[in-house]
């Protein structure tokens, strides 16, 4: 279940954070085959199903923006990370919104 106090950002806000060199980590939770189709510069790639056993690769002191294809998987991961003491923010709309709103050269699927 996804908590009601989940922090989230939209594509333009993420773009602004990147352009302003804000301190955060971008965690892509899509599958390997999805990254082969479309990607933006991410700091960490851990498919959603591997998060529980690979959480130790994340730093609880980092602001972590979680992304997926459309925002559903990332919301689940964000909720899970938040429950476990991480500073997670959901990128609503995911790579699909990025392609539509920020960089049309990123393929849609």
């Amino acid at each position: 279940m996804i908590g009601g106090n989940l922090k989230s950002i939209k594509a333009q806000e993420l773009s602004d954070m990147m352009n302003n060199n804000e301190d955060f980590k971008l965690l892509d939770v899509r599958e390997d085959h999805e990254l082969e189709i479309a990607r933006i510069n991410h700091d960490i790639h851990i498919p959603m199903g591997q998060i529980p056993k690979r959480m130790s690769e994340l730093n609880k002191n980092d602001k972590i923006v979680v992304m997926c294809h459309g925002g559903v998987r990332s919301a689940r991961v964000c909720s899970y990370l938040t429950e476990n003491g991480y500073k997670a923010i959901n990128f609503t709309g995911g790579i699909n919104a990025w392609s539509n709103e920020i960089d049309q050269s990123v393929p849609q699927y």
Side-chain angles (χ1 to χ4, degrees), residues 62-73:
D62 288 338
K63 181 190 311 184
I64 302 169
V65 175
V66 186
M67 69 169 285
C68 66
H69 181 251
V72 176
R73 284 175 285 176

Side-chain angles (χ1 to χ4, degrees), residues 12-58:
Q12 187 58 58
E13 293 169 292
L14 177 59
S15 178
D16 291 346
M17 286 173 67
M18 290 175 165
N19 292 334
N20 294 330
N21 294 315
E22 287 189 37
D23 189 25
F24 71 96
K25 299 291 184 197
L26 182 59
L27 169 62
D28 195 324
V29 298
R30 296 177 299 142
E31 299 297 323
D32 292 339
H33 69 274
E34 293 178 280
L35 263 66
E36 291 173 15
I37 298 168
R39 65 171 46 205
I40 59 176
N41 290 333
H42 61 271
D43 296 300
I44 309 161
H45 172 236
I46 305 174
M48 183 175 95
Q50 296 177 20
I51 291 290
K53 64 184 173 196
R54 293 181 59 191
M55 273 194 323
S56 63
E57 296 175 32
L58 304 172

